[in-house]
Amino acid sequence: MWPIVWPLVIGLLITTLTWPSARFLRRCGWPPALAASVVTVLFLAVTTGAVALIAIPVASQSGELTDGVVEGIQRLREWTAGPPLNIGDDQITSALDTATDRLQDSVGSMLTTLATGIGTVVNGVVTAVLALFLMFFFLKDGPRFLPWLARQLPGRLATDATTIAERGWDTLGAFVRSQAAVGLLDAVLIGIGLWVLGVPLVLPLAVLTFVSAFVPIVGALFAGFVAVLIALVSNGLTDALIVLAIIVVVQQLEGNVFQPIIQSRGLGLHAAVVLLAVTLGGSLAGIVGSLLAVPVAALIAVVWGYVREQLSEPPRHAPDGGTSPGPDSGPETVGPAVTPAS
């Protein structure tokens, strides 16, 4: 089921970002199919533009970066040859020979790993394409879902399920918006630090930091590694260490301050619940678990909040002072009438 569930989840998450635009066009009188098509094309254009914003400057400065890599390696070699390490050229050569022998001995496992990586990339492309098509259909036919769901369910359950579904949709939107806000904060703070130090490719690195914020743990590590590497090959070891310190501080502020506060406000969850949910999700399902832990916890809170509302209705009192359920009470009249939010 996972090859179907995962694109469905991604499609829902990106739909929460694009639905306000589609809703605006529909309110302006656009047909649903046309509005969904335009928003999908614009989403593709923005995504492609973000990738180009990263790739084109890197490609144009590839020669400079290559020279910087060679120079950086030479500086690192000179630094290791001096105190306190005092690593000589013969030791470096011996270490390189040992590494080469190990690589030659593990060619088979490397080929297997490479094949697995290629398969992962292919699966990722298929998942992205399927999620994009699902986003189009969600934008086009999404408003029909709740009325359809209400027609399929009997009695009181029709109202309960549609209300919970609508609240859950609002919760998913709050989650994605909070992730975007956290990513924007990271991109701005790290971008300012890179700009002050004079590190090249500031804008692509800031865009990469923003995009990677939607992938917990690995995204931040990858963006930070790229920033430190470019600082090393262009500005030297000292600035690279400063960049590393900036990234560590920003990531600590994000994980312990920004993300819990923003998500707790947007999702109605306490900051401690957010931290514990991410920890539990990561321990159970790795990166995917960390990504889905907070929205799943928020959806559970939505269901529990609705159930609590229904169970907390005070009993009706009869004129003689006793408690009377009333002639219309029963399974279909427990709790207040709920009107789905607009």
Side-chain angles (χ1 to χ4, degrees), residues 44-73:
L44 274 176
V46 171
T47 305
T48 305
V51 173
L53 192 63
I54 297 174
I56 292 178
V58 172
S60 64
Q61 300 186 22
S62 59
E64 178 183 350
L65 290 177
T66 302
D67 296 338
V69 168
V70 175
E71 182 180 355
I73 293 175

PDB file of all heavy atoms in Angstrom, residues 44-73:
ATOM      1  N   LEU A  44       4.419  24.027 -11.080  1.00  0.00           N
ATOM      2  CA  LEU A  44       5.554  23.445 -11.791  1.00  0.00           C
ATOM      3  C   LEU A  44       6.571  24.514 -12.167  1.00  0.00           C
ATOM      4  O   LEU A  44       7.783  24.290 -12.072  1.00  0.00           O
ATOM      5  CB  LEU A  44       5.062  22.721 -13.045  1.00  0.00           C
ATOM      6  CG  LEU A  44       4.607  21.269 -12.877  1.00  0.00           C
ATOM      7  CD1 LEU A  44       4.069  20.756 -14.199  1.00  0.00           C
ATOM      8  CD2 LEU A  44       5.733  20.398 -12.381  1.00  0.00           C
ATOM      9  N   ALA A  45       6.083  25.678 -12.624  1.00  0.00           N
ATOM     10  CA  ALA A  45       7.000  26.750 -13.024  1.00  0.00           C
ATOM     11  C   ALA A  45       7.810  27.251 -11.836  1.00  0.00           C
ATOM     12  O   ALA A  45       9.021  27.478 -11.948  1.00  0.00           O
ATOM     13  CB  ALA A  45       6.202  27.894 -13.653  1.00  0.00           C
ATOM     14  N   VAL A  46       7.151  27.431 -10.693  1.00  0.00           N
ATOM     15  CA  VAL A  46       7.866  27.908  -9.509  1.00  0.00           C
ATOM     16  C   VAL A  46       8.887  26.876  -9.039  1.00  0.00           C
ATOM     17  O   VAL A  46      10.034  27.217  -8.699  1.00  0.00           O
ATOM     18  CB  VAL A  46       6.858  28.231  -8.387  1.00  0.00           C
ATOM     19  CG1 VAL A  46       7.588  28.519  -7.077  1.00  0.00           C
ATOM     20  CG2 VAL A  46       6.003  29.418  -8.780  1.00  0.00           C
ATOM     21  N   THR A  47       8.488  25.606  -9.046  1.00  0.00           N
ATOM     22  CA  THR A  47       9.417  24.558  -8.632  1.00  0.00           C
ATOM     23  C   THR A  47      10.615  24.473  -9.570  1.00  0.00           C
ATOM     24  O   THR A  47      11.772  24.386  -9.126  1.00  0.00           O
ATOM     25  CB  THR A  47       8.689  23.207  -8.585  1.00  0.00           C
ATOM     26  OG1 THR A  47       7.543  23.309  -7.739  1.00  0.00           O
ATOM     27  CG2 THR A  47       9.607  22.122  -8.066  1.00  0.00           C
ATOM     28  N   THR A  48      10.345  24.514 -10.878  1.00  0.00           N
ATOM     29  CA  THR A  48      11.434  24.473 -11.854  1.00  0.00           C
ATOM     30  C   THR A  48      12.338  25.696 -11.718  1.00  0.00           C
ATOM     31  O   THR A  48      13.566  25.596 -11.825  1.00  0.00           O
ATOM     32  CB  THR A  48      10.868  24.387 -13.276  1.00  0.00           C
ATOM     33  OG1 THR A  48       9.978  23.269 -13.364  1.00  0.00           O
ATOM     34  CG2 THR A  48      11.974  24.239 -14.294  1.00  0.00           C
ATOM     35  N   GLY A  49      11.724  26.857 -11.468  1.00  0.00           N
ATOM     36  CA  GLY A  49      12.523  28.067 -11.285  1.00  0.00           C
ATOM     37  C   GLY A  49      13.421  27.982 -10.063  1.00  0.00           C
ATOM     38  O   GLY A  49      14.567  28.444 -10.089  1.00  0.00           O
ATOM     39  N   ALA A  50      12.907  27.385  -8.976  1.00  0.00           N
ATOM     40  CA  ALA A  50      13.744  27.231  -7.779  1.00  0.00           C
ATOM     41  C   ALA A  50      14.932  26.318  -8.055  1.00  0.00           C
ATOM     42  O   ALA A  50      16.059  26.586  -7.620  1.00  0.00           O
ATOM     43  CB  ALA A  50      12.908  26.683  -6.630  1.00  0.00           C
ATOM     44  N   VAL A  51      14.681  25.230  -8.801  1.00  0.00           N
ATOM     45  CA  VAL A  51      15.784  24.322  -9.151  1.00  0.00           C
ATOM     46  C   VAL A  51      16.799  25.040 -10.032  1.00  0.00           C
ATOM     47  O   VAL A  51      18.021  24.917  -9.851  1.00  0.00           O
ATOM     48  CB  VAL A  51      15.231  23.066  -9.848  1.00  0.00           C
ATOM     49  CG1 VAL A  51      16.372  22.202 -10.369  1.00  0.00           C
ATOM     50  CG2 VAL A  51      14.361  22.269  -8.888  1.00  0.00           C
ATOM     51  N   ALA A  52      16.301  25.810 -11.014  1.00  0.00           N
ATOM     52  CA  ALA A  52      17.209  26.547 -11.902  1.00  0.00           C
ATOM     53  C   ALA A  52      17.999  27.598 -11.137  1.00  0.00           C
ATOM     54  O   ALA A  52      19.177  27.849 -11.421  1.00  0.00           O
ATOM     55  CB  ALA A  52      16.413  27.196 -13.033  1.00  0.00           C
ATOM     56  N   LEU A  53      17.333  28.211 -10.132  1.00  0.00           N
ATOM     57  CA  LEU A  53      18.010  29.229  -9.334  1.00  0.00           C
ATOM     58  C   LEU A  53      19.200  28.651  -8.587  1.00  0.00           C
ATOM     59  O   LEU A  53      20.176  29.354  -8.308  1.00  0.00           O
ATOM     60  CB  LEU A  53      17.017  29.847  -8.337  1.00  0.00           C
ATOM     61  CG  LEU A  53      17.452  31.120  -7.608  1.00  0.00           C
ATOM     62  CD1 LEU A  53      17.660  32.249  -8.597  1.00  0.00           C
ATOM     63  CD2 LEU A  53      16.415  31.506  -6.577  1.00  0.00           C
ATOM     64  N   ILE A  54      19.123  27.373  -8.279  1.00  0.00           N
ATOM     65  CA  ILE A  54      20.232  26.710  -7.612  1.00  0.00           C
ATOM     66  C   ILE A  54      21.259  26.194  -8.616  1.00  0.00           C
ATOM     67  O   ILE A  54      22.466  26.344  -8.439  1.00  0.00           O
ATOM     68  CB  ILE A  54      19.710  25.543  -6.749  1.00  0.00           C
ATOM     69  CG1 ILE A  54      18.793  26.076  -5.650  1.00  0.00           C
ATOM     70  CG2 ILE A  54      20.855  24.762  -6.130  1.00  0.00           C
ATOM     71  CD1 ILE A  54      18.116  24.986  -4.849  1.00  0.00           C
ATOM     72  N   ALA A  55      20.770  25.574  -9.708  1.00  0.00           N
ATOM     73  CA  ALA A  55      21.672  24.871 -10.623  1.00  0.00           C
ATOM     74  C   ALA A  55      22.472  25.814 -11.513  1.00  0.00           C
ATOM     75  O   ALA A  55      23.677  25.601 -11.731  1.00  0.00           O
ATOM     76  CB  ALA A  55      20.870  23.904 -11.494  1.00  0.00           C
ATOM     77  N   ILE A  56      21.843  26.862 -12.050  1.00  0.00           N
ATOM     78  CA  ILE A  56      22.520  27.723 -13.033  1.00  0.00           C
ATOM     79  C   ILE A  56      23.716  28.448 -12.420  1.00  0.00           C
ATOM     80  O   ILE A  56      24.823  28.426 -12.980  1.00  0.00           O
ATOM     81  CB  ILE A  56      21.519  28.703 -13.662  1.00  0.00           C
ATOM     82  CG1 ILE A  56      20.514  27.935 -14.526  1.00  0.00           C
ATOM     83  CG2 ILE A  56      22.246  29.744 -14.493  1.00  0.00           C
ATOM     84  CD1 ILE A  56      19.452  28.815 -15.142  1.00  0.00           C
ATOM     85  N   PRO A  57      23.572  29.134 -11.251  1.00  0.00           N
ATOM     86  CA  PRO A  57      24.765  29.781 -10.683  1.00  0.00           C
ATOM     87  C   PRO A  57      25.871  28.787 -10.332  1.00  0.00           C
ATOM     88  O   PRO A  57      27.060  29.092 -10.495  1.00  0.00           O
ATOM     89  CB  PRO A  57      24.223  30.483  -9.429  1.00  0.00           C
ATOM     90  CG  PRO A  57      22.770  30.658  -9.685  1.00  0.00           C
ATOM     91  CD  PRO A  57      22.365  29.462 -10.474  1.00  0.00           C
ATOM     92  N   VAL A  58      25.486  27.600  -9.852  1.00  0.00           N
ATOM     93  CA  VAL A  58      26.503  26.604  -9.528  1.00  0.00           C
ATOM     94  C   VAL A  58      27.238  26.167 -10.786  1.00  0.00           C
ATOM     95  O   VAL A  58      28.476  26.034 -10.800  1.00  0.00           O
ATOM     96  CB  VAL A  58      25.853  25.395  -8.829  1.00  0.00           C
ATOM     97  CG1 VAL A  58      26.855  24.272  -8.667  1.00  0.00           C
ATOM     98  CG2 VAL A  58      25.310  25.803  -7.458  1.00  0.00           C
ATOM     99  N   ALA A  59      26.505  25.954 -11.885  1.00  0.00           N
ATOM    100  CA  ALA A  59      27.142  25.536 -13.131  1.00  0.00           C
ATOM    101  C   ALA A  59      28.039  26.638 -13.690  1.00  0.00           C
ATOM    102  O   ALA A  59      29.121  26.359 -14.216  1.00  0.00           O
ATOM    103  CB  ALA A  59      26.074  25.159 -14.161  1.00  0.00           C
ATOM    104  N   SER A  60      27.598  27.893 -13.575  1.00  0.00           N
ATOM    105  CA  SER A  60      28.400  28.990 -14.116  1.00  0.00           C
ATOM    106  C   SER A  60      29.690  29.204 -13.339  1.00  0.00           C
ATOM    107  O   SER A  60      30.677  29.705 -13.887  1.00  0.00           O
ATOM    108  CB  SER A  60      27.577  30.287 -14.112  1.00  0.00           C
ATOM    109  OG  SER A  60      27.251  30.662 -12.786  1.00  0.00           O
ATOM    110  N   GLN A  61      29.706  28.830 -12.080  1.00  0.00           N
ATOM    111  CA  GLN A  61      30.908  29.004 -11.257  1.00  0.00           C
ATOM    112  C   GLN A  61      31.583  27.672 -10.953  1.00  0.00           C
ATOM    113  O   GLN A  61      32.338  27.556  -9.992  1.00  0.00           O
ATOM    114  CB  GLN A  61      30.542  29.700  -9.945  1.00  0.00           C
ATOM    115  CG  GLN A  61      29.932  31.080 -10.141  1.00  0.00           C
ATOM    116  CD  GLN A  61      29.703  31.804  -8.829  1.00  0.00           C
ATOM    117  OE1 GLN A  61      30.324  31.490  -7.827  1.00  0.00           O
ATOM    118  NE2 GLN A  61      28.815  32.771  -8.832  1.00  0.00           N
ATOM    119  N   SER A  62      31.275  26.663 -11.766  1.00  0.00           N
ATOM    120  CA  SER A  62      31.848  25.345 -11.508  1.00  0.00           C
ATOM    121  C   SER A  62      33.367  25.360 -11.610  1.00  0.00           C
ATOM    122  O   SER A  62      34.055  24.697 -10.824  1.00  0.00           O
ATOM    123  CB  SER A  62      31.267  24.324 -12.486  1.00  0.00           C
ATOM    124  OG  SER A  62      31.536  24.714 -13.830  1.00  0.00           O
ATOM    125  N   GLY A  63      33.932  26.101 -12.595  1.00  0.00           N
ATOM    126  CA  GLY A  63      35.386  26.170 -12.720  1.00  0.00           C
ATOM    127  C   GLY A  63      36.028  26.781 -11.500  1.00  0.00           C
ATOM    128  O   GLY A  63      37.027  26.268 -10.971  1.00  0.00           O
ATOM    129  N   GLU A  64      35.442  27.891 -11.031  1.00  0.00           N
ATOM    130  CA  GLU A  64      35.977  28.538  -9.832  1.00  0.00           C
ATOM    131  C   GLU A  64      35.874  27.623  -8.624  1.00  0.00           C
ATOM    132  O   GLU A  64      36.795  27.547  -7.799  1.00  0.00           O
ATOM    133  CB  GLU A  64      35.200  29.835  -9.575  1.00  0.00           C
ATOM    134  CG  GLU A  64      35.625  30.577  -8.314  1.00  0.00           C
ATOM    135  CD  GLU A  64      34.777  31.813  -8.085  1.00  0.00           C
ATOM    136  OE1 GLU A  64      34.009  32.184  -8.999  1.00  0.00           O
ATOM    137  OE2 GLU A  64      34.879  32.387  -6.987  1.00  0.00           O
ATOM    138  N   LEU A  65      34.746  26.900  -8.516  1.00  0.00           N
ATOM    139  CA  LEU A  65      34.581  25.996  -7.388  1.00  0.00           C
ATOM    140  C   LEU A  65      35.561  24.832  -7.450  1.00  0.00           C
ATOM    141  O   LEU A  65      36.080  24.385  -6.424  1.00  0.00           O
ATOM    142  CB  LEU A  65      33.143  25.475  -7.349  1.00  0.00           C
ATOM    143  CG  LEU A  65      32.061  26.487  -6.969  1.00  0.00           C
ATOM    144  CD1 LEU A  65      30.692  25.845  -7.047  1.00  0.00           C
ATOM    145  CD2 LEU A  65      32.307  27.047  -5.580  1.00  0.00           C
ATOM    146  N   THR A  66      35.838  24.344  -8.672  1.00  0.00           N
ATOM    147  CA  THR A  66      36.796  23.249  -8.819  1.00  0.00           C
ATOM    148  C   THR A  66      38.184  23.683  -8.367  1.00  0.00           C
ATOM    149  O   THR A  66      38.871  22.957  -7.631  1.00  0.00           O
ATOM    150  CB  THR A  66      36.837  22.776 -10.277  1.00  0.00           C
ATOM    151  OG1 THR A  66      35.526  22.361 -10.667  1.00  0.00           O
ATOM    152  CG2 THR A  66      37.798  21.625 -10.444  1.00  0.00           C
ATOM    153  N   ASP A  67      38.607  24.867  -8.819  1.00  0.00           N
ATOM    154  CA  ASP A  67      39.898  25.389  -8.372  1.00  0.00           C
ATOM    155  C   ASP A  67      39.920  25.574  -6.856  1.00  0.00           C
ATOM    156  O   ASP A  67      40.929  25.309  -6.195  1.00  0.00           O
ATOM    157  CB  ASP A  67      40.194  26.723  -9.060  1.00  0.00           C
ATOM    158  CG  ASP A  67      40.342  26.559 -10.567  1.00  0.00           C
ATOM    159  OD1 ASP A  67      40.636  25.425 -11.024  1.00  0.00           O
ATOM    160  OD2 ASP A  67      40.146  27.561 -11.294  1.00  0.00           O
ATOM    161  N   GLY A  68      38.780  26.024  -6.321  1.00  0.00           N
ATOM    162  CA  GLY A  68      38.716  26.209  -4.876  1.00  0.00           C
ATOM    163  C   GLY A  68      38.805  24.897  -4.122  1.00  0.00           C
ATOM    164  O   GLY A  68      39.384  24.829  -3.042  1.00  0.00           O
ATOM    165  N   VAL A  69      38.192  23.841  -4.688  1.00  0.00           N
ATOM    166  CA  VAL A  69      38.271  22.533  -4.043  1.00  0.00           C
ATOM    167  C   VAL A  69      39.714  22.055  -3.984  1.00  0.00           C
ATOM    168  O   VAL A  69      40.196  21.570  -2.947  1.00  0.00           O
ATOM    169  CB  VAL A  69      37.389  21.513  -4.795  1.00  0.00           C
ATOM    170  CG1 VAL A  69      37.685  20.106  -4.313  1.00  0.00           C
ATOM    171  CG2 VAL A  69      35.920  21.850  -4.615  1.00  0.00           C
ATOM    172  N   VAL A  70      40.445  22.192  -5.089  1.00  0.00           N
ATOM    173  CA  VAL A  70      41.844  21.777  -5.126  1.00  0.00           C
ATOM    174  C   VAL A  70      42.669  22.576  -4.117  1.00  0.00           C
ATOM    175  O   VAL A  70      43.481  22.030  -3.358  1.00  0.00           O
ATOM    176  CB  VAL A  70      42.415  21.926  -6.544  1.00  0.00           C
ATOM    177  CG1 VAL A  70      43.903  21.602  -6.566  1.00  0.00           C
ATOM    178  CG2 VAL A  70      41.659  21.036  -7.520  1.00  0.00           C
ATOM    179  N   GLU A  71      42.430  23.885  -4.107  1.00  0.00           N
ATOM    180  CA  GLU A  71      43.167  24.730  -3.173  1.00  0.00           C
ATOM    181  C   GLU A  71      42.809  24.395  -1.725  1.00  0.00           C
ATOM    182  O   GLU A  71      43.679  24.375  -0.836  1.00  0.00           O
ATOM    183  CB  GLU A  71      42.873  26.197  -3.457  1.00  0.00           C
ATOM    184  CG  GLU A  71      43.652  27.166  -2.560  1.00  0.00           C
ATOM    185  CD  GLU A  71      43.327  28.606  -2.884  1.00  0.00           C
ATOM    186  OE1 GLU A  71      42.574  28.848  -3.872  1.00  0.00           O
ATOM    187  OE2 GLU A  71      43.808  29.486  -2.163  1.00  0.00           O
ATOM    188  N   GLY A  72      41.510  24.132  -1.494  1.00  0.00           N
ATOM    189  CA  GLY A  72      41.083  23.789  -0.137  1.00  0.00           C
ATOM    190  C   GLY A  72      41.709  22.494   0.329  1.00  0.00           C
ATOM    191  O   GLY A  72      42.115  22.373   1.494  1.00  0.00           O
ATOM    192  N   ILE A  73      41.790  21.505  -0.540  1.00  0.00           N
ATOM    193  CA  ILE A  73      42.409  20.235  -0.170  1.00  0.00           C
ATOM    194  C   ILE A  73      43.888  20.437   0.140  1.00  0.00           C
ATOM    195  O   ILE A  73      44.426  19.862   1.086  1.00  0.00           O
ATOM    196  CB  ILE A  73      42.213  19.206  -1.303  1.00  0.00           C
ATOM    197  CG1 ILE A  73      40.734  18.839  -1.432  1.00  0.00           C
ATOM    198  CG2 ILE A  73      43.048  17.960  -1.049  1.00  0.00           C
ATOM    199  CD1 ILE A  73      40.436  17.922  -2.594  1.00  0.00           C
TER     200      ILE A  73
END
